[in-house]
Amino acid sequence: MQTHNLGYPRIGSKRELKKACESYWSGKINLHELQTVGESIRLQNWKTQQEEGIDLIPSNDFSFYDQVLDMSLMLGAIPDRFHEVILQKGNNEMDLYFAMARGYQQNGLDITAMEMTKWFDTNYHYIVPEFRKDQQFKLFSTKVILEYKEAKQAGFSTKPVLIGPVSYLLLGKEKEEGFDRIDLIKNILPVYLELLKKLDAAHVEWIQFDEPFLAMDLGEKEKRALQFAYAEIKKAFPSLKIILANYFDCFGENLETALSLPVHTLHLDLVRCSSQLDDILESGKLGGQKHLSLGLVDGRNIWKNDYQKSNETIQKAVSAIGKDRLFIAPSCSLIHSPIDLDLETDEKSLSSEIKNWLSFAKQKLREVADLKELTNEKLKKNQEAIQSRNSSPLIHKPAVKKRVQTISDSHDHRLSPFSVRQVKQKEALKLPLFPTTTIGSFPQTAEVRSWRSKFKKGSLSQKAYEDFLKEETKKAISWQENIGLDVLVHGEFERNDMVEYFGEQLEGFVFTKTGWVQSYGSRCVKPPIIYGDVSRQKSMTVDWTAFGQSLTSKFVKGMLTGPVTILQWSFVRNDQPRSETCLQIALAIRDEVTDLEKAGIRIIQIDEPAIREGLPLRKSEWQQYLNWAVRAFRISSSGVKNETQIHTHMCYSEFNDIIQHIADMDADVITIECSRSQMELLDAFREFNYPNEIGPGVYDIHSPRVPSKQEMVDLLEKAMKLIPETQLWVNPDCGLKTRGWDETKKALTEMVSAAQEMREVITSPIA
């Protein structure tokens, strides 16, 4: 048996990549300094994997922003609007790359960024490729070749990792009508073959093609495209050893297609789908040559591997096909895991008892190596840790379990239907047409982060810290009033992260100091760990929200994170159904919602940006998930009066196929990301005739560019063609935490002006 890894975190153990990219964007460091940081991270990653016992180490799993964007640049799939960037004096390939991800607004150019959406059912976001009917591809970047040679020169023989041609096309979007992007397979394959030719010339022996769409529902056309592509690759490079990686679910209905492909090794995610090894062995179609990669170590969660269970699976495979045809691996790339548990040295933050149950990326490498050669001593130590967790009194709280069991139908319905609530809310709130608001957070400046850091380190008193936060909140409220926003927010200056902040105040959660995971680009999150039953001991947001409301006669929204998003964006216990944990969280949020209402807060936003992210990859399994996910949201939001307006927020998701379930959530107002797609996402709401109110985002907060008033007016006019003006709100795409104050003030001022212009158009005598 051999070991291999599908990919390793690229942010650096101290988030070196984040800091370097942001310094490059701000002009503090040059291209050479940025590239030096990248080289250092890659070298350390290869060294770590070798030292931890990985036989086949990946290369080209590093990215300065996103691996899908890397492929777009390599394949020359660069939208026409970006061609001017590379012609600008002083710009380079990296500036083009970042412009595609973030937009470009300088030197007389104003270019919108490419779309961004979720990577399957994870909280990682990728940059969506754009395709046209006559799309041509050409080899533009040779990053994969350069990094393979770089590794080789450093003494590491690696397997380059590429997104497979079929999955790459399916990850993209048609930007004009009249064609199916999968039909571009014949256009794109020659560039893949050109890349492989260069890799072959560099003496590459192994290559990993990621085809995660094999875990999705594929039609016959997509299956034929897979067979065509890999037959052509095999014909051109008969001796190349290809590992075809599928992850996040079974092959399912695609199993026969996968088994027919002329590849050396099939990778199986046996964490998400433990049954597929039996399916393959029982099919009798594996043949006598094809190898299997057993993805036994969970790349998506942080719990220790159960060596006994994994070893049983390994022995079953050994008995069927022998050791020589097996690889041991993580279930998927480890970019979804924190980097190194050894860095967690604060006993107050993470107790030694709970730490003993955990495994981060570096430790998962060791688990893979242990499973290759499992000794009695390793097995005994592992089973002691597994048993310690199973029997720990920290995990189970009878009162919490009892409360979940007593949830009734009345808990998940508002007092009256929306048509009744809307009338009462309009009377109570008296908001204008096109009411303006933001999604919640305002910029977390270096000063805000510095004060929080000092407070957490104990070098700043609680009173001094709270006085500072109050001043920031006062300034934010005053500024919002001055520019004319209709519904205000307190700014969330006291919060570190929209999930972490709540987890810190709930029972059943624990936190790390260094457990960062990449969400998109330079944005990293530190997911909480849900280790036990969840409950709320006291109010979490009431004091700060009420303080904000005391400063103004306008309405200030209560800002909460919803139960599904808290679940999805945490590392979740795996000893009970996720639905059970979600209901526990929903009850905690319900308590907070009712406390906010008692404190006089009349508008409460419960963000659920992750609700679509949680969908199983196969549609046949959607209904069960949506039933409990929608129910959890309704339980959290339904304990209030008709006059209290409930908002929710979703971003970077396609809604067409779950629009009925979004309606079933029964939020009074939903705000959604729409600006990057130029309001395309609203089509789903029009065709469905969505009954409640909608705030389609008119300002892309993931790009540093500032949109003009006219740009936002144009977007709102598009929205009015799809949604009645009486249902429309005006807001950014998402929270403003990661933006700077200068661009935020300019953009929101333009947004308020756009809303005012729309009101004049609607109410003018000519109209």
Side-chain angles (χ1 to χ4, degrees):
M1 285 189 294
Q2 285 186 288
T3 59
H4 80 112
N5 183 30
L6 281 72
Y8 200 70
R10 60 246 190 161
I11 58 175
S13 60
K14 297 179 181 178
R15 291 182 294 160
E16 295 92 333
L17 185 65
K18 168 190 174 66
K19 297 164 188 173
C21 283
E22 291 175 357
S23 293
Y24 180 74
W25 297 336
S26 65
K28 294 177 182 176
I29 66 172
N30 59 33
L31 178 61
H32 174 72
E33 291 170 305
L34 174 65
Q35 290 174 332
T36 298
V37 172
E39 290 169 6
S40 175
I41 293 172
R42 290 193 295 271
L43 183 62
Q44 183 59 55
N45 285 356
W46 294 325
K47 184 179 179 183
T48 297
Q49 291 173 84
Q50 185 182 70
E51 290 175 347
E52 294 300 326
I54 299 302
D55 298 319
L56 204 49
I57 297 168
S59 59
N60 197 46
D61 56 331
F62 174 85
S63 176
F64 278 105
Y65 201 97
D66 164 52
Q67 70 269 18
V68 184
L69 180 61
D70 292 348
M71 286 303 305
S72 292
L73 200 70
M74 274 192 274
L75 298 168
I78 303 166
D80 291 344
R81 65 185 182 278
F82 293 104
H83 290 172
E84 286 289 320
V85 174
I86 203 71
L87 300 177
Q88 290 273 330
K89 186 177 179 180
N91 281 354
N92 52 59
E93 184 180 300
M94 191 62 76
D95 295 316
L96 169 64
Y97 174 81
F98 286 136
M100 292 165 70
R102 306 175 70 242
Y104 191 87
Q105 194 172 45
Q106 55 183 294
N107 302 324
L109 292 180
D110 188 358
I111 307 170
T112 57
M114 296 171 71
E115 286 186 53
M116 182 166 67
T117 196
K118 296 290 179 72
W119 176 254
F120 298 89
D121 59 350
T122 75
N123 186 31
Y124 177 79
H125 304 64
Y126 74 91
I127 302 298
V128 181
E130 298 180 12
F131 302 130
R132 301 205 171 271
K133 189 174 184 179
D134 60 350
Q135 183 75 46
Q136 298 300 307
F137 301 92
K138 63 178 181 179
L139 187 58
F140 184 86
S141 164
T142 56
K143 171 182 178 292
V144 60
I145 301 157
L146 295 174
E147 290 185 12
Y148 173 77
K149 291 181 176 178
E150 178 187 330
K152 196 168 186 178
Q153 187 172 1
F156 303 97
S157 181
T158 62
K159 62 172 168 72
V161 178
L162 290 170
I163 297 172
V166 172
S167 288
Y168 174 75
L169 290 174
L170 294 176
L171 287 164
K173 181 179 282 190
E174 297 94 344
K175 302 307 287 186
E176 60 185 4
E177 296 181 356
F179 81 107
D180 184 341
R181 60 191 181 278
I182 200 63
D183 292 334
L184 297 173
I185 189 67
K186 291 185 179 179
N187 294 24
I188 203 171
L189 196 57
V191 188
Y192 272 88
L193 294 175
E194 186 178 353
L195 265 176
L196 292 176
K197 185 177 181 180
K198 292 182 180 297
L199 288 169
D200 186 56
H203 307 294
V204 167
E205 181 183 5
W206 293 88
I207 192 161
Q208 176 182 314
F209 277 113
D210 286 0
E211 290 283 7
F213 271 87
L214 280 163
M216 304 285 283
D217 296 314
L218 295 180
E220 290 304 313
K221 183 185 282 190
E222 289 85 1
K223 292 177 183 179
R224 287 196 299 271
L226 280 161
Q227 290 167 334
F228 166 74
Y230 287 94
E232 291 296 303
I233 291 170
K234 180 68 172 178
K235 188 194 308 178
F237 304 98
S239 61
L240 185 64
K241 295 177 181 176
I242 294 174
I243 298 176
L244 188 74
N246 173 51
Y247 34 80
F248 304 154
D249 208 333
C250 297
F251 286 107
E253 296 298 318
N254 305 320
L255 179 57
E256 190 170 337
T257 299
L259 288 170
S260 73
L261 298 178
V263 298
H264 183 278
T265 302
L266 284 180
H267 173 76
L268 318 178
D269 183 339
L270 295 175
V271 174
R272 283 297 187 92
C273 183
S274 58
S275 64
Q276 62 181 327
L277 176 62
D278 290 335
D279 294 341
I280 288 173
L281 297 179
E282 291 169 8
S283 73
K285 296 183 178 180
L286 184 63
Q289 300 298 322
K290 194 162 283 164
H291 291 50
L292 291 179
S293 165
L294 308 182
L296 292 164
V297 173
D298 193 348
R300 295 275 299 271
N301 215 330
I302 43 67
W303 306 107
K304 271 188 176 173
N305 182 270
D306 186 333
Y307 284 1
Q308 185 166 310
K309 289 183 178 179
S310 292
N311 192 51
E312 289 171 2
T313 302
I314 292 169
Q315 295 312 313
K316 181 189 296 181
V318 168
S319 297
I321 64 173
K323 284 186 177 182
D324 291 347
R325 291 170 59 191
L326 291 178
F327 283 90
I328 309 299
S331 60
C332 61
S333 169
L334 296 176
I335 65 167
H336 309 290
S337 294
I339 294 176
D340 187 0
L341 187 62
D342 292 340
L343 299 176
E344 299 297 327
T345 57
D346 186 344
E347 178 78 16
K348 293 180 181 178
S349 174
L350 183 64
S351 70
S352 57
E353 180 179 5
I354 295 177
K355 183 178 177 180
N356 189 42
W357 305 339
L358 307 180
S359 176
F360 291 179
K362 181 180 176 182
Q363 288 69 40
K364 290 178 187 296
L365 299 174
R366 174 49 50 189
E367 289 181 331
V368 168
D370 283 352
L371 290 171
K372 175 185 174 182
E373 298 177 2
L374 188 57
T375 64
N376 289 334
E377 184 180 349
K378 292 175 183 176
L379 179 60
K380 180 183 177 184
K381 186 177 180 181
N382 172 264
Q383 291 303 293
E384 286 172 352
I386 299 296
Q387 183 56 38
S388 165
R389 180 180 169 213
N390 291 341
S391 60
S392 174
L394 293 175
I395 293 176
H396 303 289
K397 307 293 180 186
V400 176
K401 296 183 188 299
K402 183 177 180 180
R403 190 180 179 197
V404 169
Q405 291 168 359
T406 58
I407 294 173
S408 67
D409 290 343
S410 64
H411 282 87
D412 68 354
H413 286 81
R414 295 288 295 273
L415 294 173
S416 302
F418 173 71
S419 57
V420 174
R421 301 198 310 268
Q422 187 180 38
V423 172
K424 291 183 176 292
Q425 289 166 16
K426 286 187 181 297
E427 291 173 355
L429 302 177
K430 295 181 172 57
L431 296 171
L433 275 177
F434 303 103
T436 55
T437 188
T438 64
I439 304 305
S441 58
F442 274 144
Q444 294 254 331
T445 61
E447 185 181 17
V448 170
R449 295 194 301 271
S450 172
W451 279 68
R452 182 184 300 126
S453 176
K454 291 175 186 175
F455 173 64
K456 287 194 171 186
K457 290 175 181 176
S459 59
L460 191 70
S461 71
Q462 182 162 341
K463 183 181 184 305
Y465 181 54
E466 289 183 355
D467 287 346
F468 167 76
L469 293 175
K470 286 179 179 178
E471 284 303 310
E472 292 296 304
T473 304
K474 286 178 183 178
K475 287 189 285 186
I477 293 287
S478 175
W479 179 78
Q480 290 173 84
E481 286 183 316
N482 290 340
I483 68 165
L485 278 165
D486 300 305
V487 176
L488 315 187
V489 296
H490 77 283
E492 303 181 14
F493 302 107
E494 77 284 3
R495 303 187 189 184
N496 41 20
D497 173 81
M498 65 181 291
V499 173
E500 185 176 6
Y501 179 77
F502 291 95
E504 285 176 337
Q505 301 179 79
L506 293 169
E507 296 291 313
F509 284 75
V510 73
F511 295 85
T512 65
K513 293 290 187 182
T514 63
W516 296 100
V517 177
Q518 185 181 27
S519 177
Y520 67 87
S522 67
R523 170 76 170 143
C524 300
V525 294
K526 192 150 55 68
I529 297 168
I530 304 177
Y531 69 87
D533 289 332
V534 177
S535 61
R536 188 196 78 144
Q537 302 303 304
K538 60 181 181 179
S539 65
M540 302 178 284
T541 67
V542 173
D543 289 348
W544 283 110
T545 309
F547 175 73
Q549 185 63 78
S550 73
L551 302 172
T552 179
S553 59
K554 290 192 170 186
F555 295 105
V556 173
K557 281 192 292 188
M559 299 300 307
L560 305 173
T561 304
V564 179
T565 297
I566 291 177
L567 182 88
Q568 285 294 126
W569 292 358
S570 300
F571 292 118
V572 184
R573 58 189 292 190
N574 57 1
D575 63 332
Q576 71 177 15
R578 292 171 70 87
S579 57
E580 182 81 5
T581 304
C582 196
L583 288 176
Q584 293 177 0
I585 301 169
L587 289 171
I589 299 300
R590 180 187 180 92
D591 293 343
E592 189 71 15
V593 169
T594 55
D595 278 357
L596 282 167
E597 185 183 59
K598 289 173 187 174
I601 305 304
R602 293 290 167 259
I603 302 176
I604 302 170
Q605 182 170 310
I606 308 171
D607 289 338
E608 284 291 22
I611 199 158
R612 196 191 191 287
E613 173 189 314
L615 277 175
L617 298 187
R618 298 192 185 280
K619 288 189 176 181
S620 61
E621 300 169 11
W622 283 12
Q623 193 61 51
Q624 182 181 9
Y625 160 76
L626 288 166
N627 285 346
W628 62 255
V630 170
R631 183 171 182 243
F633 177 83
R634 288 167 64 134
I635 287 168
S636 73
S637 63
S638 294
V640 294
K641 301 173 184 176
N642 287 327
E643 291 81 1
T644 298
Q645 190 175 71
I646 297 293
H647 290 223
T648 191
H649 172 67
M650 300 178 187
C651 55
Y652 300 100
S653 295
E654 300 286 348
F655 299 113
N656 303 57
D657 40 16
I658 61 166
I659 188 68
Q660 177 63 63
H661 298 91
I662 291 175
D664 291 343
M665 291 169 68
D666 200 26
D668 299 305
V669 181
I670 178 174
T671 53
I672 58 174
E673 175 271 325
C674 269
S675 64
R676 282 203 182 195
S677 68
Q678 296 293 298
M679 295 290 162
E680 283 180 17
L681 289 176
L682 276 187
D683 288 341
F685 292 84
R686 174 188 61 177
E687 292 166 9
F688 175 75
N689 194 22
Y690 185 76
N692 300 15
E693 296 180 19
I694 304 174
V698 295
Y699 162 32
D700 174 18
I701 69 89
H702 292 91
S703 169
R705 63 180 295 275
V706 175
S708 66
K709 179 182 82 169
Q710 189 58 50
E711 183 178 330
M712 296 193 216
V713 167
D714 291 344
L715 288 172
L716 288 169
E717 288 176 344
K718 280 187 178 182
M720 276 181 56
K721 294 176 182 177
L722 304 172
I723 305 293
E725 64 267 19
T726 54
Q727 288 178 246
L728 284 174
W729 285 63
V730 181
N731 45 262
D733 276 341
C734 202
L736 295 158
K737 174 183 174 181
T738 60
R739 300 267 56 92
W741 267 114
D742 183 57
E743 62 191 276
T744 294
K745 289 181 176 181
K746 290 176 182 176
L748 291 184
T749 301
E750 295 290 289
M751 188 186 83
V752 170
S753 296
Q756 291 168 344
E757 182 171 316
M758 293 301 295
R759 290 171 198 153
E760 292 170 5
V761 169
I762 294 298
T763 58
S764 67
I766 295 175

